[in-house]
Amino acid sequence: LRSLLRNNYDIVQTTFPVDAFAASLNRSIRGTPFVHLLYDSYPLYQATALSNLMFMNVVRSASRLIAISNFVNVDLKKHFQVEGVVMPLPVDTSRFSPAGERQINNAVILCTASLTVSRKRVNLLVKAFEHLIEKRPDAALVLSGHTDAATNTALLQSVHSKARKAISIIGVGQERNLPDLYRSAALTVLP
């Protein structure tokens, strides 16, 4: 808030709920409009009653609420009876460029999602893969995302050994490796 009050901005853009609260206070003091980007449906506002009240102030005073997906927008409407503007995050096309014409000789399926978040339904993908491996024995499933040992064990134990051997859980990895990871896949899936 001090930083916002020290400078005279035309507009403020926030991504963290605490920063959005500061921007809402700044708006009430100086009238500076602000836009808040919601990149997840489980932000800090759900932590305590006080943080919920703080976020309600953000929702009421924001010039615009931007949601990165329909899911986040529906959650915003459900909890706060406000609809945001859906604006998917941009892609750096210099790094993530189409591969052009290519022969896909592998059967690698890539899923980049948090393995620990049930709504991502990675467990459903793993079970579906178990059926696929019967028809495509050369298939491989690569899971990349936030995970923990218990989640990995549960996912792998949910399928038979043939499918288990064809599943690689690589965790989050490094951002610089993402373009090659995507290019190596024949198919990407987000269940």
Side-chain angles (χ1 to χ4, degrees):
L1 178 59
R2 272 189 302 239
S3 177
L4 292 173
L5 291 173
R6 267 195 304 263
N7 298 292
N8 191 20
Y9 297 106
D10 294 327
I11 190 166
V12 174
Q13 189 265 319
T14 59
T15 54
F16 295 108
V18 173
D19 295 337
F21 181 65
S24 71
L25 295 176
N26 181 59
R27 183 164 194 181
S28 67
I29 296 167
R30 298 184 96 173
T32 308
F34 77 99
V35 175
H36 181 60
L37 171 68
L38 293 118
Y39 57 90
D40 198 349
S41 62
Y42 301 104
L44 298 175
Y45 66 75
Q46 294 180 345
T48 65
L50 177 60
S51 57
N52 194 15
L53 287 172
M54 290 168 65
F55 196 76
M56 280 298 294
N57 191 53
V58 169
V59 169
R60 283 194 305 269
S61 61
S63 304
R64 184 75 70 200
L65 296 166
I66 308 292
I68 66 163
S69 68
N70 286 328
F71 180 86
V72 173
N73 202 32
V74 166
D75 192 62
L76 179 66
K77 193 169 185 176
K78 175 183 170 187
H79 291 288
F80 297 100
Q81 296 73 49
V82 173
E83 196 162 341
V85 174
V86 177
M87 186 182 302
L89 293 174
V91 173
D92 181 349
T93 56
S94 67
R95 293 184 61 215
F96 291 91
S97 58
E101 292 280 331
R102 67 180 178 132
Q103 289 287 334
I104 298 182
N105 298 321
N106 62 32
V108 174
I109 300 166
L110 173 64
C111 176
T112 56
S114 177
L115 282 59
T116 60
V117 176
S118 61
R119 72 176 173 83
K120 300 291 184 174
R121 295 186 284 188
V122 175
N123 60 331
L124 178 65
L125 173 61
V126 168
K127 290 302 287 177
F129 180 75
E130 182 177 40
H131 295 286
L132 175 69
I133 199 79
E134 296 302 322
K135 294 183 181 0
R136 283 295 304 261
D138 62 328
L141 177 61
V142 177
L143 303 175
S144 177
H146 292 282
T147 190
D148 55 44
T151 300
N152 295 351
T153 300
L155 286 171
L156 293 174
Q157 286 181 345
S158 72
V159 294
H160 58 65
S161 62
K162 187 175 179 182
R164 198 175 305 137
K165 289 176 188 170
I167 298 173
S168 299
I169 302 175
I170 62 174
V172 175
Q174 299 294 316
E175 183 181 337
R176 68 178 176 269
N177 297 332
L178 280 175
D180 288 336
L181 190 59
Y182 277 101
R183 280 188 200 100
S184 69
L187 180 69
T188 60
V189 179
L190 183 58

